[in-house]
Amino acid sequence: MQNIPLDFQTLLWGKEVPYGRIVELLDGDKSWLVRVRKRDDHCIFTDGWTKFVRDCCLKTKDAVLVKAIGHLSFVVSCFKEKVYENSYISANISPEVGMTVSNDILFRYLL
C-alpha cells in the first residue's frame, strides 16, 4: 500500500476520488494496474502496488515520482537511494499540473 498525498489527490480529483477504481502506472513500455482505496482519511494505492514495487526492485529508501497524465493514468519514475548521494533536490522546483513533489518525505529518505 502507498499513501497518496492529500494535496495531490485534491488537485487531481477534487472531491470525486475514484475509490475502488483501477488506475494505470506507466514507465516506458511497462504498465501496472493498481486500485485506489480509502483508508482512514487517506487515499491509497493497493491491489497491484506490491507487484509494481517488486517489478521495479524498490527498497525502503528509494523514491517514486508520480505524474498524472489523465484522470486514471500516471507516469512513474523510480529513483534508487544511491542516485541521491551526490545530488540535491532544489526547493525551487516548479511542478506541472498533475505532478506532486513531496520534499518532506524525500528528504527524510535522504537523511
mmCIF file of all heavy atoms in Angstrom, residues 3-42:
data_model
loop_
_atom_site.group_PDB
_atom_site.id
_atom_site.type_symbol
_atom_site.label_atom_id
_atom_site.label_comp_id
_atom_site.label_asym_id
_atom_site.label_seq_id
_atom_site.Cartn_x
_atom_site.Cartn_y
_atom_site.Cartn_z
ATOM 1 N N ASN A 3 0.353 5.537 0.443
ATOM 2 C CA ASN A 3 -0.487 6.721 0.622
ATOM 3 C C ASN A 3 -0.305 7.669 -0.556
ATOM 4 O O ASN A 3 0.812 7.831 -1.064
ATOM 5 C CB ASN A 3 -0.118 7.472 1.906
ATOM 6 C CG ASN A 3 -0.627 6.774 3.136
ATOM 7 O OD1 ASN A 3 -1.581 6.018 3.095
ATOM 8 N ND2 ASN A 3 0.020 7.033 4.253
ATOM 9 N N ILE A 4 -1.385 8.298 -0.956
ATOM 10 C CA ILE A 4 -1.343 9.333 -1.986
ATOM 11 C C ILE A 4 -1.473 10.659 -1.252
ATOM 12 O O ILE A 4 -2.430 10.849 -0.495
ATOM 13 C CB ILE A 4 -2.496 9.153 -2.992
ATOM 14 C CG1 ILE A 4 -2.401 7.775 -3.657
ATOM 15 C CG2 ILE A 4 -2.482 10.270 -4.022
ATOM 16 C CD1 ILE A 4 -3.613 7.398 -4.482
ATOM 17 N N PRO A 5 -0.511 11.588 -1.433
ATOM 18 C CA PRO A 5 -0.578 12.864 -0.704
ATOM 19 C C PRO A 5 -1.914 13.575 -0.929
ATOM 20 O O PRO A 5 -2.422 13.623 -2.050
ATOM 21 C CB PRO A 5 0.583 13.672 -1.289
ATOM 22 C CG PRO A 5 1.543 12.634 -1.792
ATOM 23 C CD PRO A 5 0.678 11.511 -2.288
ATOM 24 N N LEU A 6 -2.466 14.125 0.145
ATOM 25 C CA LEU A 6 -3.771 14.769 0.091
ATOM 26 C C LEU A 6 -3.807 15.904 -0.927
ATOM 27 O O LEU A 6 -4.775 16.037 -1.686
ATOM 28 C CB LEU A 6 -4.165 15.291 1.478
ATOM 29 C CG LEU A 6 -5.525 15.967 1.585
ATOM 30 C CD1 LEU A 6 -6.652 15.018 1.177
ATOM 31 C CD2 LEU A 6 -5.750 16.478 2.995
ATOM 32 N N ASP A 7 -2.755 16.732 -0.970
ATOM 33 C CA ASP A 7 -2.759 17.847 -1.920
ATOM 34 C C ASP A 7 -2.775 17.349 -3.364
ATOM 35 O O ASP A 7 -3.418 17.930 -4.233
ATOM 36 C CB ASP A 7 -1.595 18.811 -1.670
ATOM 37 C CG ASP A 7 -0.234 18.154 -1.710
ATOM 38 O OD1 ASP A 7 -0.151 16.912 -1.602
ATOM 39 O OD2 ASP A 7 0.770 18.876 -1.837
ATOM 40 N N PHE A 8 -2.096 16.237 -3.635
ATOM 41 C CA PHE A 8 -2.067 15.661 -4.977
ATOM 42 C C PHE A 8 -3.441 15.129 -5.364
ATOM 43 O O PHE A 8 -3.961 15.418 -6.437
ATOM 44 C CB PHE A 8 -1.015 14.554 -5.041
ATOM 45 C CG PHE A 8 -0.868 13.927 -6.395
ATOM 46 C CD1 PHE A 8 -0.257 14.610 -7.424
ATOM 47 C CD2 PHE A 8 -1.317 12.638 -6.629
ATOM 48 C CE1 PHE A 8 -0.099 14.032 -8.674
ATOM 49 C CE2 PHE A 8 -1.168 12.043 -7.874
ATOM 50 C CZ PHE A 8 -0.554 12.751 -8.898
ATOM 51 N N GLN A 9 -4.056 14.360 -4.467
ATOM 52 C CA GLN A 9 -5.365 13.789 -4.786
ATOM 53 C C GLN A 9 -6.416 14.882 -4.934
ATOM 54 O O GLN A 9 -7.296 14.808 -5.785
ATOM 55 C CB GLN A 9 -5.790 12.736 -3.769
ATOM 56 C CG GLN A 9 -6.290 13.274 -2.453
ATOM 57 C CD GLN A 9 -6.656 12.176 -1.476
ATOM 58 O OE1 GLN A 9 -5.954 11.180 -1.330
ATOM 59 N NE2 GLN A 9 -7.759 12.357 -0.790
ATOM 60 N N THR A 10 -6.333 15.934 -4.122
ATOM 61 C CA THR A 10 -7.303 17.029 -4.207
ATOM 62 C C THR A 10 -7.143 17.795 -5.515
ATOM 63 O O THR A 10 -8.131 18.111 -6.183
ATOM 64 C CB THR A 10 -7.130 17.988 -3.012
ATOM 65 O OG1 THR A 10 -7.309 17.239 -1.807
ATOM 66 C CG2 THR A 10 -8.140 19.121 -3.060
ATOM 67 N N LEU A 11 -5.906 18.082 -5.895
ATOM 68 C CA LEU A 11 -5.642 18.787 -7.154
ATOM 69 C C LEU A 11 -6.125 17.971 -8.348
ATOM 70 O O LEU A 11 -6.709 18.511 -9.285
ATOM 71 C CB LEU A 11 -4.137 19.069 -7.288
ATOM 72 C CG LEU A 11 -3.695 19.797 -8.548
ATOM 73 C CD1 LEU A 11 -4.277 21.212 -8.586
ATOM 74 C CD2 LEU A 11 -2.177 19.846 -8.623
ATOM 75 N N LEU A 12 -5.915 16.676 -8.306
ATOM 76 C CA LEU A 12 -6.259 15.805 -9.430
ATOM 77 C C LEU A 12 -7.746 15.458 -9.481
ATOM 78 O O LEU A 12 -8.378 15.540 -10.522
ATOM 79 C CB LEU A 12 -5.430 14.519 -9.352
ATOM 80 C CG LEU A 12 -5.645 13.500 -10.460
ATOM 81 C CD1 LEU A 12 -5.271 14.093 -11.817
ATOM 82 C CD2 LEU A 12 -4.818 12.249 -10.190
ATOM 83 N N TRP A 13 -8.309 15.059 -8.343
ATOM 84 C CA TRP A 13 -9.672 14.525 -8.330
ATOM 85 C C TRP A 13 -10.686 15.406 -7.606
ATOM 86 O O TRP A 13 -11.882 15.138 -7.679
ATOM 87 C CB TRP A 13 -9.689 13.139 -7.686
ATOM 88 C CG TRP A 13 -8.913 12.110 -8.429
ATOM 89 C CD1 TRP A 13 -8.982 11.824 -9.761
ATOM 90 C CD2 TRP A 13 -7.963 11.190 -7.886
ATOM 91 N NE1 TRP A 13 -8.136 10.798 -10.083
ATOM 92 C CE2 TRP A 13 -7.493 10.382 -8.930
ATOM 93 C CE3 TRP A 13 -7.475 10.971 -6.606
ATOM 94 C CZ2 TRP A 13 -6.560 9.376 -8.761
ATOM 95 C CZ3 TRP A 13 -6.534 9.981 -6.426
ATOM 96 C CH2 TRP A 13 -6.091 9.196 -7.488
ATOM 97 N N GLY A 14 -10.244 16.389 -6.838
ATOM 98 C CA GLY A 14 -11.178 17.189 -6.060
ATOM 99 C C GLY A 14 -11.888 16.307 -5.046
ATOM 100 O O GLY A 14 -11.253 15.525 -4.345
ATOM 101 N N LYS A 15 -13.212 16.402 -5.003
ATOM 102 C CA LYS A 15 -13.989 15.576 -4.068
ATOM 103 C C LYS A 15 -14.455 14.285 -4.719
ATOM 104 O O LYS A 15 -15.140 13.481 -4.092
ATOM 105 C CB LYS A 15 -15.183 16.366 -3.550
ATOM 106 C CG LYS A 15 -14.774 17.545 -2.695
ATOM 107 C CD LYS A 15 -15.959 18.281 -2.143
ATOM 108 C CE LYS A 15 -15.468 19.450 -1.297
ATOM 109 N NZ LYS A 15 -16.535 20.150 -0.643
ATOM 110 N N GLU A 16 -14.090 14.072 -5.973
ATOM 111 C CA GLU A 16 -14.524 12.884 -6.724
ATOM 112 C C GLU A 16 -13.403 11.842 -6.811
ATOM 113 O O GLU A 16 -13.021 11.410 -7.900
ATOM 114 C CB GLU A 16 -14.960 13.293 -8.139
ATOM 115 C CG GLU A 16 -16.090 14.290 -8.165
ATOM 116 C CD GLU A 16 -17.383 13.732 -7.587
ATOM 117 O OE1 GLU A 16 -17.680 12.540 -7.823
ATOM 118 O OE2 GLU A 16 -18.081 14.489 -6.890
ATOM 119 N N VAL A 17 -12.850 11.457 -5.679
ATOM 120 C CA VAL A 17 -11.772 10.466 -5.643
ATOM 121 C C VAL A 17 -12.334 9.122 -6.148
ATOM 122 O O VAL A 17 -13.382 8.683 -5.686
ATOM 123 C CB VAL A 17 -11.199 10.323 -4.223
ATOM 124 C CG1 VAL A 17 -10.102 9.268 -4.186
ATOM 125 C CG2 VAL A 17 -10.675 11.666 -3.729
ATOM 126 N N PRO A 18 -11.650 8.489 -7.090
ATOM 127 C CA PRO A 18 -12.174 7.250 -7.686
ATOM 128 C C PRO A 18 -11.922 6.001 -6.831
ATOM 129 O O PRO A 18 -11.275 5.047 -7.267
ATOM 130 C CB PRO A 18 -11.418 7.176 -9.010
ATOM 131 C CG PRO A 18 -10.100 7.815 -8.714
ATOM 132 C CD PRO A 18 -10.423 8.926 -7.750
ATOM 133 N N TYR A 19 -12.450 6.017 -5.602
ATOM 134 C CA TYR A 19 -12.265 4.876 -4.709
ATOM 135 C C TYR A 19 -12.781 3.601 -5.364
ATOM 136 O O TYR A 19 -13.858 3.581 -5.956
ATOM 137 C CB TYR A 19 -12.983 5.091 -3.374
ATOM 138 C CG TYR A 19 -12.427 6.241 -2.572
ATOM 139 C CD1 TYR A 19 -13.233 7.309 -2.204
ATOM 140 C CD2 TYR A 19 -11.094 6.257 -2.186
ATOM 141 C CE1 TYR A 19 -12.727 8.368 -1.466
ATOM 142 C CE2 TYR A 19 -10.583 7.306 -1.455
ATOM 143 C CZ TYR A 19 -11.394 8.359 -1.091
ATOM 144 O OH TYR A 19 -10.882 9.403 -0.361
ATOM 145 N N GLY A 20 -11.989 2.543 -5.277
ATOM 146 C CA GLY A 20 -12.370 1.261 -5.849
ATOM 147 C C GLY A 20 -12.019 1.106 -7.311
ATOM 148 O O GLY A 20 -12.085 0.010 -7.857
ATOM 149 N N ARG A 21 -11.615 2.185 -7.962
ATOM 150 C CA ARG A 21 -11.289 2.146 -9.390
ATOM 151 C C ARG A 21 -9.834 1.718 -9.591
ATOM 152 O O ARG A 21 -8.988 1.836 -8.706
ATOM 153 C CB ARG A 21 -11.489 3.526 -10.041
ATOM 154 C CG ARG A 21 -12.885 4.080 -9.957
ATOM 155 C CD ARG A 21 -13.836 3.573 -11.030
ATOM 156 N NE ARG A 21 -13.379 3.713 -12.382
ATOM 157 C CZ ARG A 21 -13.604 4.761 -13.164
ATOM 158 N NH1 ARG A 21 -14.293 5.795 -12.722
ATOM 159 N NH2 ARG A 21 -13.135 4.782 -14.408
ATOM 160 N N ILE A 22 -9.571 1.231 -10.790
ATOM 161 C CA ILE A 22 -8.217 0.836 -11.179
ATOM 162 C C ILE A 22 -7.565 1.992 -11.927
ATOM 163 O O ILE A 22 -8.192 2.608 -12.793
ATOM 164 C CB ILE A 22 -8.262 -0.403 -12.110
ATOM 165 C CG1 ILE A 22 -8.910 -1.596 -11.414
ATOM 166 C CG2 ILE A 22 -6.873 -0.741 -12.639
ATOM 167 C CD1 ILE A 22 -8.077 -2.227 -10.322
ATOM 168 N N VAL A 23 -6.321 2.304 -11.572
ATOM 169 C CA VAL A 23 -5.539 3.296 -12.299
ATOM 170 C C VAL A 23 -4.346 2.588 -12.934
ATOM 171 O O VAL A 23 -3.982 1.479 -12.540
ATOM 172 C CB VAL A 23 -5.065 4.450 -11.384
ATOM 173 C CG1 VAL A 23 -6.249 5.182 -10.781
ATOM 174 C CG2 VAL A 23 -4.126 3.964 -10.294
ATOM 175 N N GLU A 24 -3.754 3.242 -13.924
ATOM 176 C CA GLU A 24 -2.618 2.651 -14.621
ATOM 177 C C GLU A 24 -1.354 3.444 -14.325
ATOM 178 O O GLU A 24 -1.348 4.679 -14.424
ATOM 179 C CB GLU A 24 -2.884 2.633 -16.126
ATOM 180 C CG GLU A 24 -1.800 1.939 -16.919
ATOM 181 C CD GLU A 24 -2.144 1.818 -18.403
ATOM 182 O OE1 GLU A 24 -2.893 2.671 -18.914
ATOM 183 O OE2 GLU A 24 -1.651 0.875 -19.026
ATOM 184 N N LEU A 25 -0.292 2.735 -13.951
ATOM 185 C CA LEU A 25 1.028 3.321 -13.760
ATOM 186 C C LEU A 25 1.867 2.942 -14.963
ATOM 187 O O LEU A 25 1.936 1.762 -15.323
ATOM 188 C CB LEU A 25 1.676 2.788 -12.478
ATOM 189 C CG LEU A 25 0.880 2.917 -11.186
ATOM 190 C CD1 LEU A 25 1.670 2.316 -10.023
ATOM 191 C CD2 LEU A 25 0.528 4.361 -10.901
ATOM 192 N N LEU A 26 2.508 3.928 -15.586
ATOM 193 C CA LEU A 26 3.287 3.691 -16.803
ATOM 194 C C LEU A 26 4.743 4.088 -16.594
ATOM 195 O O LEU A 26 5.023 5.148 -16.032
ATOM 196 C CB LEU A 26 2.712 4.512 -17.960
ATOM 197 C CG LEU A 26 1.248 4.273 -18.286
ATOM 198 C CD1 LEU A 26 0.686 5.426 -19.103
ATOM 199 C CD2 LEU A 26 1.100 2.966 -19.021
ATOM 200 N N ASP A 27 5.641 3.238 -17.080
ATOM 201 C CA ASP A 27 7.074 3.534 -17.062
ATOM 202 C C ASP A 27 7.651 2.973 -18.351
ATOM 203 O O ASP A 27 7.886 1.766 -18.452
ATOM 204 C CB ASP A 27 7.739 2.917 -15.841
ATOM 205 C CG ASP A 27 9.224 3.268 -15.747
ATOM 206 O OD1 ASP A 27 9.688 4.136 -16.512
ATOM 207 O OD2 ASP A 27 9.917 2.673 -14.902
ATOM 208 N N GLY A 28 7.833 3.833 -19.334
ATOM 209 C CA GLY A 28 8.303 3.371 -20.640
ATOM 210 C C GLY A 28 7.274 2.452 -21.265
ATOM 211 O O GLY A 28 6.103 2.798 -21.375
ATOM 212 N N ASP A 29 7.711 1.252 -21.635
ATOM 213 C CA ASP A 29 6.791 0.294 -22.253
ATOM 214 C C ASP A 29 6.141 -0.637 -21.229
ATOM 215 O O ASP A 29 5.405 -1.545 -21.588
ATOM 216 C CB ASP A 29 7.509 -0.519 -23.330
ATOM 217 C CG ASP A 29 8.661 -1.347 -22.782
ATOM 218 O OD1 ASP A 29 9.110 -1.064 -21.646
ATOM 219 O OD2 ASP A 29 9.121 -2.256 -23.483
ATOM 220 N N LYS A 30 6.395 -0.408 -19.947
ATOM 221 C CA LYS A 30 5.807 -1.236 -18.888
ATOM 222 C C LYS A 30 4.607 -0.524 -18.272
ATOM 223 O O LYS A 30 4.566 0.704 -18.208
ATOM 224 C CB LYS A 30 6.841 -1.511 -17.789
ATOM 225 C CG LYS A 30 8.053 -2.259 -18.271
ATOM 226 C CD LYS A 30 9.047 -2.399 -17.148
ATOM 227 C CE LYS A 30 10.352 -2.987 -17.666
ATOM 228 N NZ LYS A 30 11.394 -2.946 -16.651
ATOM 229 N N SER A 31 3.643 -1.321 -17.807
ATOM 230 C CA SER A 31 2.499 -0.724 -17.119
ATOM 231 C C SER A 31 2.009 -1.659 -16.021
ATOM 232 O O SER A 31 2.210 -2.870 -16.080
ATOM 233 C CB SER A 31 1.369 -0.413 -18.102
ATOM 234 O OG SER A 31 0.797 -1.603 -18.596
ATOM 235 N N TRP A 32 1.395 -1.061 -15.008
ATOM 236 C CA TRP A 32 0.839 -1.801 -13.880
ATOM 237 C C TRP A 32 -0.550 -1.256 -13.590
ATOM 238 O O TRP A 32 -0.787 -0.050 -13.692
ATOM 239 C CB TRP A 32 1.703 -1.618 -12.629
ATOM 240 C CG TRP A 32 3.067 -2.160 -12.776
ATOM 241 C CD1 TRP A 32 3.510 -3.408 -12.426
ATOM 242 C CD2 TRP A 32 4.208 -1.482 -13.324
ATOM 243 N NE1 TRP A 32 4.844 -3.538 -12.717
ATOM 244 C CE2 TRP A 32 5.293 -2.374 -13.279
ATOM 245 C CE3 TRP A 32 4.415 -0.210 -13.860
ATOM 246 C CZ2 TRP A 32 6.564 -2.031 -13.735
ATOM 247 C CZ3 TRP A 32 5.668 0.125 -14.318
ATOM 248 C CH2 TRP A 32 6.722 -0.784 -14.251
ATOM 249 N N LEU A 33 -1.454 -2.133 -13.214
ATOM 250 C CA LEU A 33 -2.793 -1.738 -12.804
ATOM 251 C C LEU A 33 -2.856 -1.779 -11.287
ATOM 252 O O LEU A 33 -2.501 -2.788 -10.670
ATOM 253 C CB LEU A 33 -3.835 -2.672 -13.419
ATOM 254 C CG LEU A 33 -3.867 -2.681 -14.948
ATOM 255 C CD1 LEU A 33 -4.888 -3.693 -15.450
ATOM 256 C CD2 LEU A 33 -4.162 -1.296 -15.499
ATOM 257 N N VAL A 34 -3.286 -0.679 -10.696
ATOM 258 C CA VAL A 34 -3.296 -0.519 -9.246
ATOM 259 C C VAL A 34 -4.657 0.039 -8.828
ATOM 260 O O VAL A 34 -5.202 0.916 -9.498
ATOM 261 C CB VAL A 34 -2.161 0.451 -8.816
ATOM 262 C CG1 VAL A 34 -2.178 0.693 -7.330
ATOM 263 C CG2 VAL A 34 -0.811 -0.062 -9.261
ATOM 264 N N ARG A 35 -5.203 -0.459 -7.734
ATOM 265 C CA ARG A 35 -6.511 0.007 -7.264
ATOM 266 C C ARG A 35 -6.347 1.167 -6.278
ATOM 267 O O ARG A 35 -5.414 1.198 -5.485
ATOM 268 C CB ARG A 35 -7.269 -1.130 -6.579
ATOM 269 C CG ARG A 35 -8.714 -0.770 -6.243
ATOM 270 C CD ARG A 35 -9.519 -1.949 -5.757
ATOM 271 N NE ARG A 35 -9.474 -3.098 -6.626
ATOM 272 C CZ ARG A 35 -10.265 -3.284 -7.704
ATOM 273 N NH1 ARG A 35 -11.135 -2.378 -8.031
ATOM 274 N NH2 ARG A 35 -10.158 -4.382 -8.422
ATOM 275 N N VAL A 36 -7.272 2.120 -6.346
ATOM 276 C CA VAL A 36 -7.323 3.245 -5.406
ATOM 277 C C VAL A 36 -8.360 2.907 -4.340
ATOM 278 O O VAL A 36 -9.491 2.550 -4.662
ATOM 279 C CB VAL A 36 -7.733 4.553 -6.126
ATOM 280 C CG1 VAL A 36 -7.879 5.698 -5.134
ATOM 281 C CG2 VAL A 36 -6.727 4.904 -7.214
ATOM 282 N N ARG A 37 -7.972 2.991 -3.081
ATOM 283 C CA ARG A 37 -8.900 2.711 -1.982
ATOM 284 C C ARG A 37 -8.796 3.816 -0.929
ATOM 285 O O ARG A 37 -7.840 4.591 -0.918
ATOM 286 C CB ARG A 37 -8.577 1.372 -1.336
ATOM 287 C CG ARG A 37 -8.832 0.189 -2.240
ATOM 288 C CD ARG A 37 -8.966 -1.074 -1.411
ATOM 289 N NE ARG A 37 -9.009 -2.249 -2.250
ATOM 290 C CZ ARG A 37 -10.128 -2.790 -2.707
ATOM 291 N NH1 ARG A 37 -11.285 -2.256 -2.418
ATOM 292 N NH2 ARG A 37 -10.084 -3.872 -3.457
ATOM 293 N N LYS A 38 -9.772 3.827 -0.048
ATOM 294 C CA LYS A 38 -9.773 4.765 1.067
ATOM 295 C C LYS A 38 -9.381 4.017 2.331
ATOM 296 O O LYS A 38 -9.899 2.946 2.608
ATOM 297 C CB LYS A 38 -11.154 5.392 1.243
ATOM 298 C CG LYS A 38 -11.195 6.451 2.313
ATOM 299 C CD LYS A 38 -12.541 7.131 2.363
ATOM 300 C CE LYS A 38 -12.514 8.243 3.384
ATOM 301 N NZ LYS A 38 -13.769 8.984 3.394
ATOM 302 N N ARG A 39 -8.460 4.600 3.085
ATOM 303 C CA ARG A 39 -8.039 4.019 4.363
ATOM 304 C C ARG A 39 -7.952 5.154 5.367
ATOM 305 O O ARG A 39 -7.167 6.086 5.175
ATOM 306 C CB ARG A 39 -6.692 3.334 4.211
ATOM 307 C CG ARG A 39 -6.233 2.685 5.477
ATOM 308 C CD ARG A 39 -5.049 1.818 5.196
ATOM 309 N NE ARG A 39 -4.294 1.620 6.400
ATOM 310 C CZ ARG A 39 -3.088 1.127 6.434
ATOM 311 N NH1 ARG A 39 -2.501 0.768 5.320
ATOM 312 N NH2 ARG A 39 -2.469 0.975 7.564
ATOM 313 N N ASP A 40 -8.749 5.066 6.400
ATOM 314 C CA ASP A 40 -8.909 6.171 7.349
ATOM 315 C C ASP A 40 -9.337 7.397 6.537
ATOM 316 O O ASP A 40 -10.316 7.343 5.841
ATOM 317 C CB ASP A 40 -7.632 6.409 8.157
ATOM 318 C CG ASP A 40 -7.224 5.176 8.964
ATOM 319 O OD1 ASP A 40 -8.120 4.498 9.494
ATOM 320 O OD2 ASP A 40 -6.014 4.901 9.059
ATOM 321 N N ASP A 41 -8.587 8.465 6.602
ATOM 322 C CA ASP A 41 -8.909 9.655 5.802
ATOM 323 C C ASP A 41 -7.974 9.801 4.614
ATOM 324 O O ASP A 41 -7.886 10.879 4.019
ATOM 325 C CB ASP A 41 -8.844 10.912 6.674
ATOM 326 C CG ASP A 41 -9.979 10.975 7.674
ATOM 327 O OD1 ASP A 41 -11.045 10.398 7.377
ATOM 328 O OD2 ASP A 41 -9.804 11.588 8.737
ATOM 329 N N HIS A 42 -7.264 8.741 4.273
ATOM 330 C CA HIS A 42 -6.274 8.816 3.202
ATOM 331 C C HIS A 42 -6.703 8.001 1.992
ATOM 332 O O HIS A 42 -7.392 6.999 2.096
ATOM 333 C CB HIS A 42 -4.917 8.293 3.683
ATOM 334 C CG HIS A 42 -4.342 9.065 4.820
ATOM 335 N ND1 HIS A 42 -3.970 10.371 4.718
ATOM 336 C CD2 HIS A 42 -4.088 8.698 6.089
ATOM 337 C CE1 HIS A 42 -3.496 10.785 5.874
ATOM 338 N NE2 HIS A 42 -3.555 9.785 6.736
#
